[in-house]
């Protein structure tokens, strides 16, 4: 029995060694694939580093562009605001001029009555009324902003 027990143990050891060799072959294949994946992973990491550096440079350029655009827009906005205020003042002045001109025109227009239109010739505007309206408009402008007409 001793001999058969020894033989059974030897057979068991041989089977276990065969299983170990098979498992080692399987691990070797996996390690080979892992090394191949490691090389491709290193290549991917290098590409990512390069892409990151390019992106950082692009971001720096974009920051400079944004700063330049911000400065330009700020100055243009300031100029536009000043121009808007100037136009608003000029529109007010133009309104005053139109009002004064309409007063002068109304003062210089001859007064005609419907019953005398057919019988009487067209009357000439009164020079005194025109001068008075012009003087009134002139003084009104001088009072409003201190500028002579």
């Amino acid at each position: 029995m001793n001999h058969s027990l020894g033989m059974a143990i030897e057979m068991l050891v041989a089977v276990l060694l065969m299983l170990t060799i098979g498992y080692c072959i399987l691990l070797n294949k996996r390690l080979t694939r892992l090394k191949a994946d490691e090389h491709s992973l290193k290549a991917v990491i290098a590409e990512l580093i390069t892409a990151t550096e390019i992106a950082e440079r692009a971001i720096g350029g974009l920051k400079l562009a944004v700063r330049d655009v911000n400065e330009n827009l700020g100055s243009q906005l300031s100029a536009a605001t000043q121009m808007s205020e100037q136009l608003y003042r000029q529109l007010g002045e133009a309104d005053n001029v139109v009002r004064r001109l309409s007063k002068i025109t109304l003062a210089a227009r001859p007064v005609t009555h419907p019953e005398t239109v057919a019988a009487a010739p067209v009357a000439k505007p009164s020079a005194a009324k025109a001068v008075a309206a012009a003087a009134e408009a002139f003084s009104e402008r001088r009072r409003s902003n201190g500028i002579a007409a």
Side-chain angles (χ1 to χ4, degrees), residues 80-141:
T81 302
Q82 290 174 355
M83 185 173 287
S84 174
E85 291 171 358
Q86 183 181 8
L87 286 173
Y88 183 75
R89 285 192 303 268
Q90 288 177 352
L91 282 173
E93 287 298 318
D95 188 40
N96 287 336
V97 169
V98 167
R99 276 191 287 116
R100 284 185 289 123
L101 285 174
S102 66
K103 284 182 182 180
I104 291 171
T105 305
L106 289 175
R109 187 176 295 161
V111 179
T112 57
H113 297 289
E115 61 274 357
T116 62
V117 170
V122 177
K124 291 186 180 179
S126 168
K129 284 186 180 181
V131 171
E136 182 182 338
F138 178 77
S139 65
E140 181 180 316
R141 180 177 173 126

Side-chain angles (χ1 to χ4, degrees), residues 4-147:
S4 60
L5 183 61
M7 189 61 119
I9 290 177
E10 290 291 329
M11 290 295 274
L12 181 63
V13 169
V15 169
L16 288 176
L17 278 175
M18 295 276 265
L19 285 174
T20 304
I21 291 172
Y23 189 69
C24 285
I25 293 172
L26 179 68
L27 282 178
N28 188 30
K29 287 181 183 178
R30 286 185 181 174
L31 284 173
T32 305
R33 274 187 279 156
L34 186 61
K35 286 209 182 232
D37 289 343
E38 178 186 9
H39 292 300
S40 65
L41 187 60
K42 283 182 181 179
V44 168
I45 289 172
E47 289 176 13
L48 282 174
I49 289 172
T50 304
T52 303
E53 291 171 353
I54 292 170
E56 286 175 351
R57 284 191 299 255
I59 288 172
L62 285 174
K63 284 181 181 179
L64 289 174
V66 165
R67 187 176 63 226
D68 290 344
V69 166
N70 191 19
E71 289 173 1
N72 288 340
L73 283 178
S75 64
Q76 288 177 356
L77 183 61
S78 175
T81 302
Q82 290 174 355
M83 185 173 287
S84 174
E85 291 171 358
Q86 183 181 8
L87 286 173
Y88 183 75
R89 285 192 303 268
Q90 288 177 352
L91 282 173
E93 287 298 318
D95 188 40
N96 287 336
V97 169
V98 167
R99 276 191 287 116
R100 284 185 289 123
L101 285 174
S102 66
K103 284 182 182 180
I104 291 171
T105 305
L106 289 175
R109 187 176 295 161
V111 179
T112 57
H113 297 289
E115 61 274 357
T116 62
V117 170
V122 177
K124 291 186 180 179
S126 168
K129 284 186 180 181
V131 171
E136 182 182 338
F138 178 77
S139 65
E140 181 180 316
R141 180 177 173 126
R142 230 177 134 88
R143 276 184 300 212
S144 66
N145 57 6
I147 299 173

